[in-house]
Amino acid sequence: MITFKSNFSNWIEDESSDSDVIVSSRVKIARNLTNFTFPHWATEAQLSEVRGFILKAITGECDFNDLILIFSEELAPQKKDILVEKHLISPTFNVKKKGLAVILSEKNTDLCIMINEEDHLCIQAFSSGLQLQKAWKIADEIDERLSSHLPYAFSAHRGYLTERPTNIGTGMRASVMMHLPALAINDEVELLFSNLSNSNITVRGLFGEGTDVAGNFYQVSNQTTIGKSEDEIIDDLQKVSKNIIERERAARQILAKEEKIKLIDEVSRAWGTLTHAKLISFEEAIDYLSMIRLGIDLNILPNLSCNQVTKLMMLIKPAHLRDSIGKDVDEDSELIARANLIKHKLFELREGVV
Amino acid sequence: MITFKSNFSNWIEDESSDSDVIVSSRVKIARNLTNFTFPHWATEAQLSEVRGFILKAITGECDFNDLILIFSEELAPQKKDILVEKHLISPTFNVKKKGLAVILSEKNTDLCIMINEEDHLCIQAFSSGLQLQKAWKIADEIDERLSSHLPYAFSAHRGYLTERPTNIGTGMRASVMMHLPALAINDEVELLFSNLSNSNITVRGLFGEGTDVAGNFYQVSNQTTIGKSEDEIIDDLQKVSKNIIERERAARQILAKEEKIKLIDEVSRAWGTLTHAKLISFEEAIDYLSMIRLGIDLNILPNLSCNQVTKLMMLIKPAHLRDSIGKDVDEDSELIARANLIKHKLFELREGVV
C-alpha cells in the first residue's frame, strides 16, 4: 500500500500579508477526455482505462520521483478522510470504486491532481492568504503541459465540458477561505454577502457546500464558470476579496476601539476554555479558535501567529486527530484527545500570554 | 452615622456536616405590638414611637455594648444593599422612611432584629448547613426575653397577628438554602419539588420570592405558619431537607460514576472561565461557582472547601463588590472588578488544582 504523511501543506507554512483575514486561496480546474464516458457513468474497466491514459501523460510531463500516486482501491477510508480534511479531495471521492486516483507532490503539497472523481481530471492548487494568481499559475501550468497529451472534451460554443453543468466553460473554480469574526460580531456578514449576490459570488461554510458556518470562516468562490476568461474570473474574485478584507479590518478596528474590554474578555475566555476543557468537539473548538485568531490579529495575544491557529485547526480535525492517536477511538476518546492536544499546543505556543 | 463592617456572618465560617448540599438555615419570627398601627399604615411619628418602645425592651434585655443599632434614616442606600445581600433585611426595608431600625450583634453575626420593616418586630437567626433547631433556639430565646416587656398582638384563635395573613399563627418562617446541581443536571429538581407540593413546602431561587433559580441554589421554606407548633414546622422542614440531601448526594454519586469525564470537563471549564473572564455578571459567576462547588464536593478540586465558595459568592454580590471598591462605579467597572476578584480569590485558594 502506498503511504503518505499527514504533514502540513506548504501554504499553511507560508504567512502572507492578508493572513489576518484570508486563510487560503484555491483554484480548481476540471477537465474531461473526449470519447470517454464521464466518471459517474463509467464502469470500473472504463475508469481504469482513463486513469492509465492520464497517468501516462502525467508521468511523461512530471518528475515521477516527486509524485505520490494513490489509487482509490489502495486508499484506506481513514486516509481518505485526511485528504478530505485537507480539502485535497472531496468527500464524494469513492474509495469503494476501482479506477480513481489522487496524485500529490512531495515537494509541492499545494498541488493535488484527482483522476475520475467528478471529472476525468481535476487539477487543484492552493496558496496562503489572497494569492489566487499564484494558485492559478500552478494549476494552469499543469493543465497546459497535459493538454498536449490529452484530448480534452471541448466545445467551441460551450468551452470545456464537465460533469456538472455549473462548471462548463472555463471549468475553473477559484475560492478564498476568509475569517470574518468582526463582521460576524457586528452582524454585517449577511448584509455584506447579500449585497454581493449580483457579483457572481457564492458563499459557503468552512466545510463546503451545505455546511454551517463554523468559527466565522467563509468560503467565497465564483458562481459561474462561463462567459468570462479565467483571468477575469480571478480578477473579479480578487477585487471582491480585497473589498471584504478592508471591511473586516475596519470592523476589527472599530471593535478594538469601542468594545475593547468586551473583546479582551471574549478572547481570554476562549483561551481559558480551550486550555481547561477535558472534552471538546471540533465545531466548538473552531468557534473558540476563531476568537483566538481575532485576538492574535488585534494583539490581545501577542507572540502568536494566525498560521499557528490555522495549523492547529487542521490537526484537531477528526481524521487528523485519529491518525495522530494511531488507533480506532470511540467518540469520547476523540473529544478527550482533542482537548488534550489543544491545551498542550496552546501552552507550547504561549509565551507570556493573557 | 453609625457604621458597620461588611464582614462575614458567623454561619459562613462554620462548616457543618451537610455543607456539601445545605448552605445555610434560617428562622425568622414576626411579632407585632398590640395597640400600635401595623408599620405599613403607620406615620413616621407612630413608627418612631414603636421603635423607641421596642429598643427600650431590647436594651433592657441585651448587652448594648455588643449590639449595632442602625436607624433607617441613618442608613445609606449602599449600606442597605449590603444588608439585603446578606439576607439580613429584605429589599423592601424603607430607608426613606424614619422610624425603622436594624439591630445586629457584633459577636453573633447570625442574629438580626428588624424594627418596623413588615412587622413591628422581626427576629432572624442563621446557622450553617442544616441546623434549623440551632437557628430557632437563637431567635426563640430573644423572642422569649422580649415577650415579657412587649405586649404582642396575639389572638387565642389565630395566634400571633402579622401584617401578612400568610405569617399568622406561629409568625415563624424557617428556610433552608440548598445547592442541588446534580438533581438539576439530571432534570430531577422540578419533579422533586412538585412531589413535595403537599408537604407544606415552598421553593424559591437564591434571591427570594419571584427570583430565578441561579446556580441551582434553592430556598426551601415552610408554606404555612398556622395549625402546627414551631417545633413541628421545623421538624417537618428538617425531614424534607434530609430527604433532599440524600437524593442530591445519590445523584452526585451517579454523576461521578457514570458521567465522570463530562463532569470533570464542566468543572474544569468553569474554573477556566472564572480565572480568565475579564468581565462577569453576578448571575453568570454564580452559575460557574455552582459547578466549582460541585467539583469540590466530588473531589475534582481538592484542597478547597464549599464554604470558601459560599464566601466568594457573598463578596461578589453587587453591593458587597461596590463597597470593597470604595467608590461609585459604572456597570462595566463592576463587571471588571468582579472578574478580577474572582480570579485572584480562586488563585489564592488553589493549591495544585486542575
Side-chain angles (χ1 to χ4, degrees):
Chain A
M1 194 185 127
I2 295 146
T3 60
F4 59 93
K5 290 173 279 178
S6 70
N7 60 348
F8 284 114
S9 314
N10 291 355
W11 68 264
I12 279 195
E13 306 288 348
D14 177 24
E15 189 122 4
S16 92
S17 62
D18 314 289
S19 293
D20 54 334
V21 179
I22 308 294
V23 179
S24 62
S25 302
R26 173 169 67 161
V27 170
K28 213 169 164 178
I29 298 173
R31 296 290 182 256
N32 288 280
L33 306 189
T34 192
N35 293 329
F36 286 96
T37 313
F38 275 131
H40 185 67
W41 314 97
T43 63
E44 289 195 342
Q46 290 173 317
L47 290 172
S48 294
E49 194 189 347
V50 169
R51 182 170 70 185
F53 193 70
I54 295 177
L55 281 178
K56 212 175 134 193
I58 291 176
T59 51
E61 280 295 334
C62 310
D63 170 13
F64 200 81
N65 290 330
D66 166 54
L67 293 183
I68 303 162
L69 178 62
I70 306 162
F71 282 4
S72 53
E73 56 269 37
E74 292 167 345
L75 182 59
Q78 311 90 282
K79 295 287 179 185
K80 174 201 152 177
D81 293 341
I82 290 177
L83 296 179
V84 172
E85 287 180 352
K86 284 186 187 296
H87 295 276
L88 293 173
I89 63 175
S90 84
T92 55
F93 187 92
N94 194 345
V95 290
K96 287 182 186 150
K97 222 169 179 179
K98 202 180 156 180
L100 287 74
V102 189
I103 301 160
L104 305 170
S105 155
E106 209 151 330
K107 269 185 240 142
N108 186 358
T109 51
D110 294 344
L111 177 70
C112 171
I113 300 170
M114 269 180 299
I115 301 175
N116 288 327
E117 191 211 25
E118 200 169 275
D119 297 285
H120 288 142
L121 179 65
C122 176
I123 306 161
Q124 199 176 199
F126 294 84
S127 65
S128 74
L130 183 61
Q131 299 188 82
L132 285 165
Q133 274 296 345
K134 187 178 168 189
W136 162 242
K137 272 183 195 150
I138 297 170
D140 185 44
E141 194 206 318
I142 303 281
D143 179 44
E144 282 291 322
R145 284 161 68 184
L146 296 180
S147 65
S148 57
H149 303 271
L150 298 171
Y152 285 160
F154 184 84
S155 136
H157 181 57
R158 293 207 176 93
Y160 293 102
L161 303 179
T162 54
E163 163 77 17
R164 291 201 201 193
T166 50
N167 289 335
I168 283 174
T170 59
M172 189 202 69
R173 200 159 279 283
S175 70
V176 177
M177 180 73 81
M178 304 179 167
H179 184 220
L180 308 177
L183 290 172
I185 290 170
N186 291 350
D187 274 333
E188 291 177 42
V189 169
E190 277 187 36
L191 183 67
L192 171 74
F193 287 130
S194 75
N195 286 344
L196 288 175
S197 61
N198 297 324
S199 313
N200 183 28
I201 290 299
T202 258
V203 183
R204 297 166 184 176
L206 186 54
F207 311 111
E209 217 160 341
T211 62
D212 280 345
V213 175
N216 305 313
F217 289 96
Y218 299 82
Q219 234 187 87
V220 178
S221 60
N222 58 309
Q223 188 150 36
T224 55
T225 49
I226 202 160
K228 283 182 179 176
S229 73
E230 291 87 344
D231 278 329
E232 283 172 319
I233 292 172
I234 284 173
D235 202 42
D236 286 352
L237 184 57
Q238 183 91 10
K239 275 183 196 148
V240 167
S241 301
K242 282 228 173 267
N243 181 280
I244 297 175
I245 291 172
E246 291 319 311
R247 288 184 187 215
E248 170 65 20
R249 283 179 180 158
R252 288 186 191 182
Q253 288 315 312
I254 291 169
L255 269 186
K257 205 175 156 197
E258 294 175 8
E259 307 273 354
K260 191 163 186 188
I261 176 71
K262 181 95 194 70
L263 201 65
I264 295 175
D265 176 57
E266 287 200 27
V267 171
S268 183
R269 280 171 180 242
W271 184 277
T273 303
L274 288 172
T275 54
H276 283 80
K278 304 292 179 193
L279 295 169
I280 197 160
S281 71
F282 176 62
E283 289 72 16
E284 195 191 1
I286 290 298
D287 282 338
Y288 287 120
L289 285 171
S290 167
M291 281 311 299
I292 297 292
R293 213 176 180 282
L294 179 61
I296 291 168
D297 180 45
L298 293 176
N299 224 19
I300 297 168
L301 296 171
N303 308 327
L304 291 173
S305 77
C306 288
N307 281 23
Q308 289 169 328
V309 176
T310 308
K311 268 193 204 180
L312 184 53
M313 281 172 57
M314 189 68 91
L315 285 174
I316 61 170
K317 289 182 178 181
H320 276 74
L321 196 70
R322 289 201 177 112
D323 191 58
S324 72
I325 301 171
K327 58 179 182 186
D328 268 354
V329 289
D330 60 18
E331 202 192 328
D332 258 13
S333 307
E334 186 195 312
L335 300 179
I336 294 169
R338 183 176 293 110
N340 264 328
L341 181 66
I342 293 173
K343 180 179 168 175
H344 289 116
K345 285 280 169 194
L346 287 182
F347 280 148
E348 244 175 62
L349 296 178
R350 176 174 67 172
E351 280 167 44
V353 176
V354 274
Chain B
M1 194 185 126
I2 294 144
T3 59
F4 60 93
K5 290 173 279 180
S6 71
N7 61 346
F8 284 114
S9 314
N10 291 356
W11 68 263
I12 280 195
E13 305 289 349
D14 176 25
E15 189 121 2
S16 92
S17 62
D18 314 288
S19 292
D20 55 334
V21 179
I22 308 294
V23 178
S24 61
S25 302
R26 173 168 67 161
V27 169
K28 213 170 165 177
I29 298 173
R31 297 287 181 260
N32 288 280
L33 306 188
T34 192
N35 293 328
F36 285 96
T37 312
F38 275 130
H40 184 68
W41 314 97
T43 62
E44 290 193 343
Q46 288 173 316
L47 290 172
S48 294
E49 193 189 348
V50 168
R51 181 169 72 183
F53 194 71
I54 295 178
L55 280 178
K56 211 175 137 194
I58 290 175
T59 49
E61 280 296 332
C62 311
D63 170 15
F64 200 82
N65 289 330
D66 166 53
L67 293 182
I68 303 161
L69 178 62
I70 307 161
F71 282 3
S72 53
E73 57 268 37
E74 292 168 345
L75 182 60
Q78 312 89 284
K79 295 287 179 184
K80 173 201 154 178
D81 293 341
I82 290 178
L83 296 179
V84 171
E85 287 180 351
K86 285 185 186 297
H87 295 276
L88 293 173
I89 64 175
S90 85
T92 54
F93 186 93
N94 195 344
V95 289
K96 286 183 188 151
K97 221 169 177 178
K98 201 179 157 182
L100 287 72
V102 189
I103 301 160
L104 303 170
S105 154
E106 208 151 327
K107 270 185 238 144
N108 185 359
T109 51
D110 294 343
L111 177 69
C112 171
I113 300 170
M114 270 179 298
I115 300 175
N116 289 327
E117 191 210 25
E118 200 170 276
D119 297 284
H120 288 143
L121 179 66
C122 175
I123 306 161
Q124 199 177 195
F126 293 84
S127 65
S128 75
L130 184 61
Q131 300 186 82
L132 285 166
Q133 273 296 344
K134 186 178 168 189
W136 162 242
K137 271 182 196 149
I138 297 170
D140 184 44
E141 194 206 317
I142 303 282
D143 179 44
E144 282 291 321
R145 284 160 69 183
L146 295 181
S147 66
S148 57
H149 302 272
L150 299 171
Y152 284 160
F154 184 84
S155 135
H157 180 58
R158 292 205 175 93
Y160 293 103
L161 303 179
T162 54
E163 162 76 17
R164 289 199 202 197
T166 50
N167 289 336
I168 283 175
T170 58
M172 189 201 71
R173 199 159 280 284
S175 70
V176 177
M177 181 71 83
M178 303 179 168
H179 184 221
L180 306 178
L183 290 172
I185 290 170
N186 290 351
D187 274 334
E188 292 176 43
V189 169
E190 276 188 36
L191 183 67
L192 171 75
F193 287 130
S194 75
N195 286 343
L196 288 176
S197 61
N198 297 325
S199 312
N200 184 28
I201 291 300
T202 259
V203 182
R204 297 167 184 177
L206 186 55
F207 310 111
E209 218 160 341
T211 62
D212 280 345
V213 175
N216 305 313
F217 289 95
Y218 299 82
Q219 233 187 86
V220 178
S221 60
N222 58 309
Q223 188 150 35
T224 54
T225 49
I226 201 160
K228 280 182 180 176
S229 73
E230 290 87 343
D231 278 329
E232 281 172 320
I233 293 171
I234 283 174
D235 202 42
D236 286 353
L237 184 57
Q238 183 91 8
K239 275 182 195 150
V240 167
S241 301
K242 283 228 172 265
N243 181 280
I244 297 175
I245 291 172
E246 291 320 311
R247 288 185 189 215
E248 170 64 21
R249 283 180 181 160
R252 288 186 191 181
Q253 288 315 312
I254 291 170
L255 270 186
K257 204 175 157 196
E258 293 175 8
E259 306 274 353
K260 191 163 186 187
I261 177 72
K262 183 96 195 71
L263 201 66
I264 295 175
D265 177 57
E266 287 201 27
V267 171
S268 183
R269 281 171 180 242
W271 183 276
T273 304
L274 288 173
T275 54
H276 284 80
K278 304 292 180 193
L279 296 169
I280 198 162
S281 71
F282 176 62
E283 290 71 17
E284 196 192 2
I286 290 297
D287 282 338
Y288 287 120
L289 285 171
S290 167
M291 281 311 297
I292 297 292
R293 212 176 181 280
L294 179 62
I296 291 169
D297 180 45
L298 294 175
N299 224 21
I300 297 168
L301 296 171
N303 308 329
L304 291 173
S305 76
C306 288
N307 280 23
Q308 289 170 328
V309 176
T310 308
K311 267 191 203 180
L312 185 52
M313 282 172 58
M314 190 68 91
L315 285 174
I316 61 170
K317 289 182 178 181
H320 276 73
L321 196 69
R322 289 201 178 113
D323 191 58
S324 73
I325 301 170
K327 57 179 180 185
D328 267 354
V329 290
D330 60 17
E331 203 192 328
D332 258 12
S333 307
E334 185 196 312
L335 300 178
I336 294 169
R338 182 176 293 110
N340 264 328
L341 180 66
I342 292 173
K343 180 178 168 176
H344 288 116
K345 284 280 168 192
L346 287 182
F347 280 149
E348 244 176 62
L349 296 178
R350 176 173 69 171
E351 281 167 43
V353 176
V354 274

